[in-house]
Amino acid sequence: MAKGFFISKTFGIVAIIICSAALATIIALSVVYSQEKAKNNNPPHPDGGTTSSPPVTPSPSNEPWDKYRLPKSLVPVHYNVTLWPRLTEDPASKLYIFTGESSVEFECTEETDLILIHSNKLNYTKLDNVNMARLTSVNSEVKAPSIKNSWLQNVTQYLVLQLDGKLIKDHKYHLETKFQGELADDLGGFYRSEYMEDGVKKVVATTQMQPTDARKAFPCFDEPAMKSVFYITLIHDLGTVALSNGEVKQSSNVTIDGHKVQLTTFEPTKKMSTYLLAFIVSDFDFINNTIDGVLIRIFARKPAIDAGQGGYALNKTGLILKFFEKYYNSSYPLPKSDQIALPDFNAGAMENWGLITYRETALLYDEAFSSNSNKQRIATIIAHELAHMWFGNLVTLRWWNDLWLNEGFASYVEYLGAHEAEPNWNLTELIVLSDVHRVFAIDALASSHPLSSKEEDIQKPAQISELFDAISYSKGASVLRMLSDFLTEDVFRAGLMTYLGKFAYGNAVYTDLWNQLQMAVDESGTQLPDTVKNIMNTWVLQMGFPVVTIDTTSGVVSQEHFLLDPDSNVTAVSPFKYEWIVPIKWMKTRDVQEPQWLRKKSAKINEMKASGSDWVLANLNVVGYYRVNYDLDNWNRLVEVLSTNHELIPVINRAQLVDDAFNLARAKIISTVLALDTTKYLINEREYMPWESALSNLDFFYLMFDRNEVYGPMQNYLRKQVTPLFEYYKEMTVNWTNIPVGHLDQYNQVNAISLACRTGLEECQNLSKEWFNQWMMKKNNTIPPNLRSTVYCNAIAAGGTKEWEFAWSQFVQATIAIEADKLRSALACTKQPWLLNRFLEYTLEPDLIRKQDATSTIVYIANNVVGQSLAWDFVRARWSYIFAEYGGGSFSFSNLINGVTKRFSTEFELQQLKQFKAENNVIGFGSGTLAVEQSIERTVSNIKWITENKENVLNWFNKYY
C-alpha cells in the first residue's frame, strides 16, 4: 500500500507553504481510514434472521475465541463468494447494504471441535432455521459433525461455531454462510464512495481489505498466511461495470427476486491472501492497451476518462511493469493489470492483485491542473504498487510484524521503477530527502521502535494498523537501499530472484530473504565483514541509528546511538547494545576512497586522517542509514569548501551536510551556530536538494521561533539568502512566463517563490496577489500548475474574506481532485481566525470535506501559526467524536497527533498534552498511540532546545542579515 500520501512524498514539496517540505511530506501522507458509526454496528438481518448473543466469558479468558490469532487447525483451500451491493438506500433500514453468500472449503490439519472464522459487522441468516452456518464434508463417506452452537465474538471479530464432534485430520469440509452488511462510507472492507456527476449523485461499491477488513465483506480466515483461491461472483445493476482480481469469465442479465440485474463471474484468482482481494461496482469508463499479452486498463469517472486524465498512467504502467519483470527476472503472473481511481480512498493506493485501487490524485493527471510533483507522485505510486505484484503478492510475509519488509522494499524500488518511466528526472536521488531524512526525525526519538517486531506483540487490528508508519515504509526503504548498495545491485537482485522463486504463492519471514541473499553473496565471492543476517540484524532488530564520528586528527572513527534529545531515557533494551555494523563510503578532498566498515564501538582508520587544506566527507550519496559528525577542524574546512567552491562536494552530500549539521546541533553534538553556518553558502546555491534540505531544517526554526523575537531577524536573513535564487528563476523563466526544463529546477522554482513570499519579498508577494486577483476577476486561471499551491496560499494569507470565499467556491466546484487538493491546503493559509474555525468545523461534515481528507485538513490548519492553537483546541474538544467517527484504526491518526503538536515548545503546551493523554486514555488513540508518546518526548526536547539556543540564534541572525 502506498504512503497515503503516504502518499506521495513529493507532493508535499508544493502542497504546504506554511511548513517545510519535510513536514509537508508527512502531512501529504495523512489519510482518513474511518470505521463505521457506532449506530451502524448492527444492521438489520436478511430474511428475518437473528444473531445469537455470545456466551458470557470470564475475563481474562483463555478461550480460543478470545484470542486474536487463528488456531492452526484449519487451512482454507478455496472460497466461492457471491456479493450483491445495493447502490441505492434500502427502503426499510435507510442504509446502503450488501448481501452475500459464501462457501469456503478448508482442510483440517489438527483434530478440533471448534471452527473460528473472522467476521466483523456482518449479520447472518440462520440456515435451516438452526445455525448461522452449514457444515458439510467434501468426502461423502465422512459425515461432518453438527453445529451445536454459533455466535459472533465481536471483540476478536470471529464467527464461532462449536461442533458436537471432531473434524478429522487431513479431511476437507465446506462451510456455507448467508449474510448481510452495510455498504457504509467508512473506507474499509466493502464500502461505498459517492460523487456528483452532472448534478446527479453516483455511488460506487468498492473495497479496502488491508490489513484486517476482508472479514467485513464475507467470513474468511483473514490472516496473510491463510492463502487460498477465490471464486468471486458479483450481482450488480444493469449498465454498471463489475471488476475483481480475476478476468471476467461470464456476465449475463438475470432476474433475482423480481430485480433485473447483471450477474458477473470471474476467473479464479491465484493462491493469495485475503487482504489483496478487491471487487468494485461502478459506471466508470476506461482506456486500455496490451503489453506482451498483459491487458492494462485505467478506470475512472467518465468525465475524467473523457478528459484524457488516465493517459499518463496508461503510458507509464507498461514501461514500469516491463522494468519489474526484468528486475525480478520473472514474468508478471496475471493476465491483466487493472488500475482504478476512486473518489474516496483511504491511502494513496492499494496493491490488490490484478485490480489496484488509487486515490484520484495518485492516478489521474491533467496537464492543465497537475503540477510536476503531481506527475512524479503518480509515477512513483504506480511503481510502488506494481513492485508489490511480486514482492508482497506473489510472496507474502507470514505475519504483519514483518510488514516493514513488504512496504520498505516497495518504497525503495518505486524509485527504480519510476526512473525507468522518467529517466531524465534523477528520481533515485530523491529517496534521500523523501525517505532517509524524513524518517531520521522519527527514528531519533527514544520512543521509536525496531523495524521488525515480535510476532506475539502484534495481535490486535489496531496494533497492526499502527505498523503502517514511517519506520516501516521509509526506514525499511533506507536500510534495503543500503543493503543493495554494499552487496551491489547485481548480487541483491540475484538473491531476490531465488527468494521469489522459492516462496512463490507462499509466505516467508524476513530472514528467508537474508538466507537467499547470503547464497548470492557466497556464489559471487562478495567480501563482507560478517554474514548478511548478522549485519542486517543490527539495523532491523534495534530501533534508531548511529551517528558516526570521524576525528580526522587521530583517525579514530566511533559510533553512538543518535538521539535528538540526548537526555531522553531509552528504556527499550537492544540485543546489540545500540551498536551497528556500519558500511562507510567516503572521499578525501577530491578523491573517492576505498569503502570501510565500522564493526564495533570505535576503530582507528589511519586513512581518514586529514590535515592542512584536506578534508574528509563520509557517507557518499547518503547510501548509509546514519548521520556523520567530524572534529571541529574538519567541519570548518567543509564549511569553507561550501563557501568557496561548493561543487567540489557532490550535490546529495551538500544536502546531507546541512541536514546532519542541524540535527547534530539539536542533539547538542555540535553548536547551533555551526549548523547555521552551513546555510551561508546558499546565496550561491542553485540546486534543489541542498535548498530543500535547508528549508526542511529551517522549518524547525519557524516552528520554534515564529511566536517570538527571533522571527524578524530570521526572516530578514532568509530573504537575503533566497533573493538571488528568486532572481535566477525569474530570469530563467523570462519573468515567470516559461516553465524550467529540468524536473528538479521546477521544484526549486517553487522553493524560491515559496520562501521569497514567506519572508516578505515584496516583488514575490505582489506577483502572487496579482495572479490570484486576475483569476478572481477574469474567471480564467492562468497560474502555472507548478506554482498554484504556493500562489494560492500566499494570496489567501495576504487577503481576507473575499479571497477565502472565492477559493472555497472554486474548491466546491472543482472536478479535478488534484486541483481540489491544492485549494484545500491553501484555504488553511488565511490569517483570519474565524475563517480557520469555520474550516475546522467543515472537516467533520463529509458533504463539505471528504472523510479521507478530514485529518489532513486539520493538520494543514495547525501548520498555520494562527491556526495552531485553534486546531489543537478543536482536536482536544472533539477527540471522542473524531475517534469514534473517523476510526481508531485509521492510518492517519499518528499524522494528526504529530501534526497538531509539532509547534509545542512551552511548559503550558506540555502540560496540555499530558492532560490530553490522561483524559482520553479510556477512549484511546488507536494507531496514534505511539504518536502521543512521541509528541510528549518531542515537546520536552523542544523546550530544552529553545532555552539553550534562543539567544545564540538571535545573535547569529542579527549578525548575518
Side-chain angles (χ1 to χ4, degrees), residues 303-345:
I305 293 296
D306 292 343
Q309 293 172 26
Y312 180 76
L314 184 66
N315 292 337
K316 298 305 178 183
T317 295
L319 289 172
I320 296 170
L321 200 62
K322 297 308 294 181
F323 166 78
F324 281 124
E325 285 190 328
K326 181 179 178 182
Y327 184 81
Y328 295 122
N329 193 29
S330 172
S331 297
Y332 177 67
L334 303 179
K336 74 174 178 77
S337 177
D338 286 339
Q339 299 180 93
I340 185 166
L342 296 166
D344 298 286
F345 190 69

Short mmCIF file of all heavy atoms in Angstrom, two decimals, residues 303-345:
data_model
loop_
_atom_site.label_atom_id
_atom_site.label_comp_id
_atom_site.label_asym_id
_atom_site.label_seq_id
_atom_site.Cartn_x
_atom_site.Cartn_y
_atom_site.Cartn_z
N PRO A 303 -16.16 11.51 -16.91
CA PRO A 303 -15.58 12.80 -17.33
C PRO A 303 -14.06 12.82 -17.24
O PRO A 303 -13.40 13.49 -18.05
CB PRO A 303 -16.21 13.79 -16.33
CG PRO A 303 -17.46 13.14 -15.87
CD PRO A 303 -17.15 11.69 -15.82
N ALA A 304 -13.49 12.12 -16.27
CA ALA A 304 -12.04 12.09 -16.14
C ALA A 304 -11.41 11.32 -17.30
O ALA A 304 -10.37 11.73 -17.85
CB ALA A 304 -11.64 11.46 -14.81
N ILE A 305 -12.02 10.21 -17.68
CA ILE A 305 -11.52 9.44 -18.83
C ILE A 305 -11.67 10.26 -20.11
O ILE A 305 -10.75 10.34 -20.94
CB ILE A 305 -12.25 8.10 -18.95
CG1 ILE A 305 -11.88 7.18 -17.75
CG2 ILE A 305 -11.91 7.42 -20.28
CD1 ILE A 305 -10.43 6.78 -17.69
N ASP A 306 -12.83 10.90 -20.27
CA ASP A 306 -13.07 11.72 -21.48
C ASP A 306 -12.07 12.87 -21.60
O ASP A 306 -11.70 13.27 -22.70
CB ASP A 306 -14.49 12.28 -21.47
CG ASP A 306 -15.56 11.21 -21.64
OD1 ASP A 306 -15.20 10.09 -22.09
OD2 ASP A 306 -16.73 11.46 -21.31
N ALA A 307 -11.63 13.38 -20.44
CA ALA A 307 -10.68 14.49 -20.43
C ALA A 307 -9.24 14.03 -20.62
O ALA A 307 -8.31 14.85 -20.61
CB ALA A 307 -10.81 15.28 -19.13
N GLY A 308 -9.03 12.73 -20.77
CA GLY A 308 -7.69 12.20 -21.01
C GLY A 308 -6.83 12.09 -19.76
O GLY A 308 -5.61 11.93 -19.85
N GLN A 309 -7.45 12.12 -18.57
CA GLN A 309 -6.66 12.15 -17.34
C GLN A 309 -6.01 10.80 -17.01
O GLN A 309 -5.12 10.73 -16.16
CB GLN A 309 -7.53 12.61 -16.18
CG GLN A 309 -7.97 14.06 -16.29
CD GLN A 309 -8.99 14.45 -15.24
OE1 GLN A 309 -9.03 13.86 -14.17
NE2 GLN A 309 -9.82 15.44 -15.55
N GLY A 310 -6.42 9.73 -17.66
CA GLY A 310 -5.81 8.43 -17.43
C GLY A 310 -4.65 8.13 -18.36
O GLY A 310 -3.97 7.11 -18.21
N GLY A 311 -4.40 9.02 -19.31
CA GLY A 311 -3.41 8.75 -20.34
C GLY A 311 -2.00 8.58 -19.81
O GLY A 311 -1.26 7.68 -20.23
N TYR A 312 -1.59 9.46 -18.89
CA TYR A 312 -0.22 9.37 -18.36
C TYR A 312 -0.01 8.04 -17.65
O TYR A 312 1.00 7.36 -17.87
CB TYR A 312 0.06 10.54 -17.42
CG TYR A 312 1.45 10.51 -16.83
CD1 TYR A 312 2.54 10.89 -17.60
CD2 TYR A 312 1.67 10.08 -15.53
CE1 TYR A 312 3.83 10.84 -17.08
CE2 TYR A 312 2.95 10.03 -15.00
CZ TYR A 312 4.03 10.42 -15.77
OH TYR A 312 5.30 10.36 -15.26
N ALA A 313 -0.97 7.65 -16.81
CA ALA A 313 -0.84 6.38 -16.08
C ALA A 313 -0.78 5.20 -17.05
O ALA A 313 0.01 4.26 -16.86
CB ALA A 313 -2.01 6.22 -15.11
N LEU A 314 -1.60 5.23 -18.08
CA LEU A 314 -1.61 4.13 -19.04
C LEU A 314 -0.26 4.03 -19.76
O LEU A 314 0.28 2.94 -19.93
CB LEU A 314 -2.73 4.32 -20.06
CG LEU A 314 -2.92 3.20 -21.07
CD1 LEU A 314 -3.38 1.91 -20.38
CD2 LEU A 314 -3.92 3.61 -22.16
N ASN A 315 0.28 5.18 -20.14
CA ASN A 315 1.55 5.19 -20.88
C ASN A 315 2.71 4.69 -20.04
O ASN A 315 3.63 4.06 -20.55
CB ASN A 315 1.84 6.61 -21.39
CG ASN A 315 0.88 7.04 -22.46
OD1 ASN A 315 0.27 6.22 -23.14
ND2 ASN A 315 0.71 8.35 -22.62
N LYS A 316 2.68 4.98 -18.74
CA LYS A 316 3.81 4.63 -17.89
C LYS A 316 3.69 3.24 -17.27
O LYS A 316 4.69 2.62 -16.92
CB LYS A 316 3.98 5.67 -16.78
CG LYS A 316 4.27 7.08 -17.31
CD LYS A 316 5.49 7.11 -18.23
CE LYS A 316 5.75 8.50 -18.79
NZ LYS A 316 6.88 8.52 -19.74
N THR A 317 2.47 2.73 -17.11
CA THR A 317 2.29 1.43 -16.47
C THR A 317 3.03 0.32 -17.20
O THR A 317 3.70 -0.51 -16.59
CB THR A 317 0.80 1.10 -16.34
OG1 THR A 317 0.18 2.03 -15.46
CG2 THR A 317 0.60 -0.31 -15.79
N GLY A 318 2.91 0.29 -18.52
CA GLY A 318 3.57 -0.75 -19.29
C GLY A 318 5.08 -0.71 -19.13
O GLY A 318 5.73 -1.75 -18.96
N LEU A 319 5.66 0.49 -19.18
CA LEU A 319 7.10 0.64 -19.01
C LEU A 319 7.56 0.12 -17.65
O LEU A 319 8.56 -0.60 -17.53
CB LEU A 319 7.50 2.12 -19.15
CG LEU A 319 7.42 2.74 -20.54
CD1 LEU A 319 7.66 4.25 -20.45
CD2 LEU A 319 8.45 2.10 -21.47
N ILE A 320 6.81 0.49 -16.62
CA ILE A 320 7.19 0.09 -15.27
C ILE A 320 6.99 -1.41 -15.07
O ILE A 320 7.82 -2.08 -14.44
CB ILE A 320 6.37 0.91 -14.24
CG1 ILE A 320 6.73 2.40 -14.35
CG2 ILE A 320 6.63 0.41 -12.82
CD1 ILE A 320 5.82 3.32 -13.55
N LEU A 321 5.91 -1.94 -15.62
CA LEU A 321 5.65 -3.38 -15.49
C LEU A 321 6.78 -4.19 -16.15
O LEU A 321 7.27 -5.18 -15.57
CB LEU A 321 4.30 -3.71 -16.13
CG LEU A 321 3.62 -5.01 -15.72
CD1 LEU A 321 3.30 -5.00 -14.24
CD2 LEU A 321 2.34 -5.21 -16.52
N LYS A 322 7.19 -3.76 -17.33
CA LYS A 322 8.28 -4.46 -18.02
C LYS A 322 9.59 -4.33 -17.25
O LYS A 322 10.40 -5.26 -17.21
CB LYS A 322 8.44 -3.93 -19.44
CG LYS A 322 7.25 -4.15 -20.35
CD LYS A 322 6.76 -5.59 -20.37
CE LYS A 322 7.76 -6.54 -20.98
NZ LYS A 322 7.26 -7.94 -21.01
N PHE A 323 9.81 -3.16 -16.64
CA PHE A 323 11.03 -2.99 -15.84
C PHE A 323 11.07 -4.01 -14.71
O PHE A 323 12.11 -4.65 -14.47
CB PHE A 323 11.12 -1.58 -15.26
CG PHE A 323 12.16 -1.44 -14.18
CD1 PHE A 323 13.49 -1.32 -14.50
CD2 PHE A 323 11.79 -1.47 -12.84
CE1 PHE A 323 14.46 -1.24 -13.50
CE2 PHE A 323 12.74 -1.37 -11.84
CZ PHE A 323 14.09 -1.25 -12.17
N PHE A 324 9.96 -4.17 -14.00
CA PHE A 324 9.96 -5.09 -12.86
C PHE A 324 10.06 -6.55 -13.31
O PHE A 324 10.64 -7.38 -12.60
CB PHE A 324 8.75 -4.86 -11.97
CG PHE A 324 8.89 -3.67 -11.06
CD1 PHE A 324 7.96 -2.64 -11.08
CD2 PHE A 324 9.98 -3.56 -10.21
CE1 PHE A 324 8.10 -1.54 -10.25
CE2 PHE A 324 10.13 -2.47 -9.37
CZ PHE A 324 9.19 -1.45 -9.40
N GLU A 325 9.51 -6.87 -14.47
CA GLU A 325 9.71 -8.23 -14.99
C GLU A 325 11.20 -8.51 -15.17
O GLU A 325 11.69 -9.59 -14.84
CB GLU A 325 8.97 -8.40 -16.32
CG GLU A 325 7.47 -8.55 -16.19
CD GLU A 325 6.82 -8.95 -17.49
OE1 GLU A 325 7.32 -8.55 -18.56
OE2 GLU A 325 5.79 -9.65 -17.45
N LYS A 326 11.91 -7.51 -15.69
CA LYS A 326 13.36 -7.67 -15.89
C LYS A 326 14.08 -7.65 -14.54
O LYS A 326 14.99 -8.46 -14.31
CB LYS A 326 13.86 -6.53 -16.78
CG LYS A 326 15.35 -6.58 -17.08
CD LYS A 326 15.75 -5.44 -17.99
CE LYS A 326 17.26 -5.45 -18.25
NZ LYS A 326 17.68 -4.30 -19.11
N TYR A 327 13.68 -6.76 -13.65
CA TYR A 327 14.35 -6.62 -12.35
C TYR A 327 14.23 -7.90 -11.54
O TYR A 327 15.19 -8.36 -10.92
CB TYR A 327 13.73 -5.44 -11.60
CG TYR A 327 14.40 -5.11 -10.28
CD1 TYR A 327 15.57 -4.36 -10.24
CD2 TYR A 327 13.86 -5.55 -9.07
CE1 TYR A 327 16.18 -4.05 -9.04
CE2 TYR A 327 14.46 -5.24 -7.86
CZ TYR A 327 15.63 -4.49 -7.85
OH TYR A 327 16.23 -4.19 -6.66
N TYR A 328 13.03 -8.49 -11.53
CA TYR A 328 12.79 -9.71 -10.78
C TYR A 328 13.16 -10.98 -11.57
O TYR A 328 13.15 -12.08 -11.02
CB TYR A 328 11.32 -9.83 -10.38
CG TYR A 328 10.81 -8.78 -9.42
CD1 TYR A 328 9.74 -7.96 -9.76
CD2 TYR A 328 11.36 -8.62 -8.16
CE1 TYR A 328 9.23 -7.01 -8.86
CE2 TYR A 328 10.87 -7.68 -7.26
CZ TYR A 328 9.81 -6.88 -7.62
OH TYR A 328 9.31 -5.95 -6.74
N ASN A 329 13.40 -10.80 -12.88
CA ASN A 329 13.60 -11.94 -13.78
C ASN A 329 12.43 -12.92 -13.68
O ASN A 329 12.60 -14.13 -13.58
CB ASN A 329 14.91 -12.67 -13.47
CG ASN A 329 15.30 -13.65 -14.57
OD1 ASN A 329 14.96 -13.45 -15.74
ND2 ASN A 329 15.99 -14.72 -14.20
N SER A 330 11.23 -12.34 -13.71
CA SER A 330 10.01 -13.14 -13.53
C SER A 330 8.87 -12.45 -14.28
O SER A 330 8.67 -11.25 -14.13
CB SER A 330 9.66 -13.24 -12.04
OG SER A 330 8.41 -13.85 -11.84
N SER A 331 8.15 -13.21 -15.07
CA SER A 331 7.02 -12.64 -15.82
C SER A 331 5.92 -12.21 -14.87
O SER A 331 5.72 -12.81 -13.80
CB SER A 331 6.46 -13.68 -16.80
OG SER A 331 7.43 -14.02 -17.77
N TYR A 332 5.21 -11.17 -15.24
CA TYR A 332 4.04 -10.74 -14.47
C TYR A 332 3.08 -11.92 -14.38
O TYR A 332 2.72 -12.51 -15.41
CB TYR A 332 3.39 -9.54 -15.14
CG TYR A 332 2.13 -9.04 -14.47
CD1 TYR A 332 2.16 -8.47 -13.21
CD2 TYR A 332 0.90 -9.14 -15.13
CE1 TYR A 332 1.00 -8.01 -12.61
CE2 TYR A 332 -0.26 -8.68 -14.53
CZ TYR A 332 -0.21 -8.11 -13.28
OH TYR A 332 -1.36 -7.66 -12.68
N PRO A 333 2.64 -12.30 -13.18
CA PRO A 333 1.94 -13.58 -13.03
C PRO A 333 0.46 -13.57 -13.39
O PRO A 333 -0.20 -14.60 -13.25
CB PRO A 333 2.13 -13.90 -11.54
CG PRO A 333 2.37 -12.59 -10.87
CD PRO A 333 3.00 -11.69 -11.89
N LEU A 334 -0.09 -12.44 -13.84
CA LEU A 334 -1.52 -12.36 -14.12
C LEU A 334 -1.76 -11.93 -15.56
O LEU A 334 -0.90 -11.31 -16.19
CB LEU A 334 -2.19 -11.36 -13.16
CG LEU A 334 -2.04 -11.61 -11.65
CD1 LEU A 334 -2.74 -10.52 -10.86
CD2 LEU A 334 -2.58 -12.97 -11.27
N PRO A 335 -2.96 -12.19 -16.08
CA PRO A 335 -3.26 -11.79 -17.47
C PRO A 335 -3.66 -10.32 -17.61
O PRO A 335 -3.74 -9.82 -18.73
CB PRO A 335 -4.42 -12.71 -17.86
CG PRO A 335 -5.11 -13.01 -16.56
CD PRO A 335 -4.01 -13.07 -15.53
N LYS A 336 -3.97 -9.65 -16.50
CA LYS A 336 -4.40 -8.26 -16.59
C LYS A 336 -3.85 -7.44 -15.44
O LYS A 336 -3.47 -7.98 -14.39
CB LYS A 336 -5.93 -8.15 -16.60
CG LYS A 336 -6.60 -8.39 -15.25
CD LYS A 336 -8.10 -8.14 -15.32
CE LYS A 336 -8.81 -8.41 -13.99
NZ LYS A 336 -8.61 -7.35 -13.00
N SER A 337 -3.81 -6.15 -15.66
CA SER A 337 -3.47 -5.21 -14.60
C SER A 337 -4.43 -4.03 -14.69
O SER A 337 -4.24 -3.11 -15.49
CB SER A 337 -2.02 -4.71 -14.74
OG SER A 337 -1.72 -3.74 -13.75
N ASP A 338 -5.49 -4.11 -13.89
CA ASP A 338 -6.46 -3.01 -13.83
C ASP A 338 -6.03 -2.02 -12.76
O ASP A 338 -5.56 -2.41 -11.68
CB ASP A 338 -7.86 -3.54 -13.48
CG ASP A 338 -8.51 -4.26 -14.63
OD1 ASP A 338 -8.11 -4.03 -15.78
OD2 ASP A 338 -9.43 -5.07 -14.38
N GLN A 339 -6.22 -0.72 -13.05
CA GLN A 339 -5.95 0.32 -12.07
C GLN A 339 -7.14 1.28 -12.09
O GLN A 339 -7.58 1.69 -13.16
CB GLN A 339 -4.65 1.06 -12.40
CG GLN A 339 -3.45 0.13 -12.39
CD GLN A 339 -2.15 0.83 -12.72
OE1 GLN A 339 -1.44 1.27 -11.84
NE2 GLN A 339 -1.84 0.94 -14.00
N ILE A 340 -7.63 1.61 -10.91
CA ILE A 340 -8.87 2.38 -10.85
C ILE A 340 -8.72 3.54 -9.87
O ILE A 340 -8.17 3.38 -8.78
CB ILE A 340 -10.07 1.47 -10.46
CG1 ILE A 340 -11.38 2.24 -10.52
CG2 ILE A 340 -9.86 0.80 -9.11
CD1 ILE A 340 -12.62 1.33 -10.48
N ALA A 341 -9.19 4.71 -10.27
CA ALA A 341 -9.11 5.93 -9.45
C ALA A 341 -10.46 6.14 -8.77
O ALA A 341 -11.49 6.27 -9.43
CB ALA A 341 -8.78 7.13 -10.33
N LEU A 342 -10.44 6.17 -7.43
CA LEU A 342 -11.67 6.26 -6.65
C LEU A 342 -11.82 7.63 -6.00
O LEU A 342 -10.85 8.19 -5.48
CB LEU A 342 -11.67 5.19 -5.56
CG LEU A 342 -11.66 3.75 -6.07
CD1 LEU A 342 -11.31 2.79 -4.95
CD2 LEU A 342 -13.01 3.39 -6.69
N PRO A 343 -13.03 8.18 -5.99
CA PRO A 343 -13.23 9.49 -5.34
C PRO A 343 -12.96 9.45 -3.84
O PRO A 343 -12.52 10.45 -3.27
CB PRO A 343 -14.71 9.79 -5.62
CG PRO A 343 -15.06 8.98 -6.82
CD PRO A 343 -14.23 7.73 -6.71
N ASP A 344 -13.24 8.32 -3.19
CA ASP A 344 -12.99 8.18 -1.75
C ASP A 344 -12.10 6.97 -1.53
O ASP A 344 -12.50 5.83 -1.81
CB ASP A 344 -14.31 7.99 -0.98
CG ASP A 344 -15.24 9.18 -1.12
OD1 ASP A 344 -14.97 10.21 -0.49
OD2 ASP A 344 -16.22 9.06 -1.87
N PHE A 345 -10.90 7.23 -1.00
CA PHE A 345 -9.98 6.13 -0.76
C PHE A 345 -9.05 6.51 0.37
O PHE A 345 -8.58 7.63 0.45
CB PHE A 345 -9.19 5.79 -2.03
CG PHE A 345 -8.41 4.51 -1.93
CD1 PHE A 345 -9.07 3.30 -1.88
CD2 PHE A 345 -7.04 4.52 -1.86
CE1 PHE A 345 -8.37 2.11 -1.76
CE2 PHE A 345 -6.32 3.35 -1.74
CZ PHE A 345 -6.99 2.14 -1.69
#
